[in-house]
Amino acid sequence: MRTKLIVGNWKMFGTLAETRKLIFQLAVEWGKPCEGVEVAVCPPFTSLIVAKHQLELSHIKLGAQNCYAETSGAFTGEISPAMLADIGCTYVILGHSERRTLFGETDELVSRKVRASLDAGLTPIICIGETESQRDNNETESVLARQLAGSLATLTNDDAAKIVLAYEPVWAIGTGKTATPEQAQAAHAFIRSELSKKFGDAAGSIQILYGGSVKPQNAKVLFACPDVDGGLVGGASLDADQFIAIIEAAATP
Ligand code: PGA
């Protein structure tokens, strides 16, 4: 039985004051652990330390939204997985479609980042997903298979227990369009079957999150799908009430 995981991807939102307020609402005002649900928030780099201090006594884990593929060196402007681990991050989101499309990240770069993150002791949340035209052309499975093969290229069987996947159809991100539970389940089952080809039985314990306009109104039906193990939540994670409602939707059967 896989634990559900709900991750808030704050993207490029949040001053320090906004971070303090949102984390206070989640960790102090609400703050109760939800049976069977793990929760993490991924604020921008500039808010990580402040968030870490505020989350000290909380069950909510911390993650970053990106990192580079090296431990240290002359890479102006980059942040290493070791630095993220050093300040108390548990997770790092890698290969998000915004990074792939806006910043030219390839599967090859994502796979190097995944390797470096695992080596630093972080849990990578590896994002994959098809565009609308790829879905319309019946290419969803071939795109997912290609992204998986490329992004997981450096992994061994022992690594399977330490990764999280996120299926994020690009057409559903920030658009208010959500995959139907049937579409999500079909994609997740396909991803799990590809993971089994690579990792064997260990694939059964890998959490596969759904991302793309997850809201309190659609969370429950999505999380009820057998291969959907939680959500990667963008817009709705910036509103404490909505994010809490999504967490609670994951907790109740
Ligand atoms: P959204 O973003 O929930 O705003 O669609 C999800 C994501 O990009 O991870």
Side-chain angles (χ1 to χ4, degrees):
M1 181 64 184
R2 294 176 299 272
T3 312
K4 291 270 194 278
L5 170 63
I6 306 297
V7 180
N9 172 13
W10 291 14
K11 308 198 180 188
M12 200 174 71
F13 292 102
T15 60
L16 279 186
E18 286 162 346
T19 298
R20 285 197 182 95
K21 181 170 173 216
L22 187 45
I23 302 266
F24 182 80
Q25 289 172 315
L26 296 174
V28 181
E29 285 185 345
W30 180 66
K32 53 176 184 209
C34 262
E35 185 96 18
V37 187
E38 299 164 8
V39 180
V41 290
C42 302
F45 289 128
T46 47
S47 287
L48 286 173
I49 282 279
V50 162
K52 180 64 196 168
H53 289 316
Q54 271 187 293
L55 290 173
E56 213 106 275
L57 298 175
S58 153
H59 65 286
I60 300 173
K61 300 274 197 305
L62 189 66
Q65 300 169 22
N66 182 32
C67 66
Y68 193 53
E70 301 286 341
T71 305
S72 61
F75 302 104
T76 300
E78 294 296 320
I79 290 184
S80 79
M83 292 167 179
L84 297 176
D86 183 45
I87 61 158
C89 286
T90 302
Y91 294 99
V92 60
I93 299 170
L94 294 176
H96 189 282
S97 77
E98 285 149 18
R99 298 227 47 96
R100 291 175 186 265
T101 40
L102 301 173
F103 303 100
E105 288 202 9
T106 59
D107 288 328
E108 198 268 335
L109 178 59
V110 174
S111 86
R112 288 175 49 221
K113 291 183 173 191
V114 168
R115 179 74 268 153
S117 299
L118 285 167
D119 291 346
L122 297 174
T123 300
I125 300 172
I126 305 154
C127 304
I128 55 172
E130 81 288 357
T131 63
E132 188 146 45
S133 66
Q134 288 167 334
R135 173 164 283 268
D136 290 345
N137 292 333
N138 283 325
E139 290 166 9
T140 300
E141 292 193 349
S142 60
V143 169
L144 295 178
R146 189 179 65 235
Q147 290 179 332
L148 275 174
S151 308
L152 307 185
T154 59
L155 302 193
T156 65
N157 279 5
D158 288 348
D159 296 319
K162 303 175 212 150
I163 61 169
V164 173
L165 262 292
Y167 169 60
E168 295 208 306
V170 178
W171 48 270
I173 297 177
T175 58
K177 285 195 222 169
T178 317
T180 63
E182 294 73 25
Q183 287 171 325
Q185 172 54 29
H188 283 231
F190 175 77
I191 291 166
R192 199 174 301 287
S193 74
E194 290 296 294
L195 292 172
S196 326
K197 285 187 207 159
K198 187 170 174 72
F199 299 118
D201 288 348
S205 56
I206 299 177
Q207 290 165 314
I208 307 176
L209 313 183
Y210 169 81
S213 300
V214 176
K215 306 283 176 215
Q217 305 84 288
N218 57 34
K220 216 177 167 112
V221 283
L222 287 163
F223 300 159
C225 299
D227 284 293
V228 176
D229 306 311
L232 181 54
V233 186
S237 73
L238 294 168
D239 179 287
D241 290 340
Q242 288 194 43
F243 193 54
I244 290 164
I246 291 168
I247 297 165
E248 291 180 340
T252 43

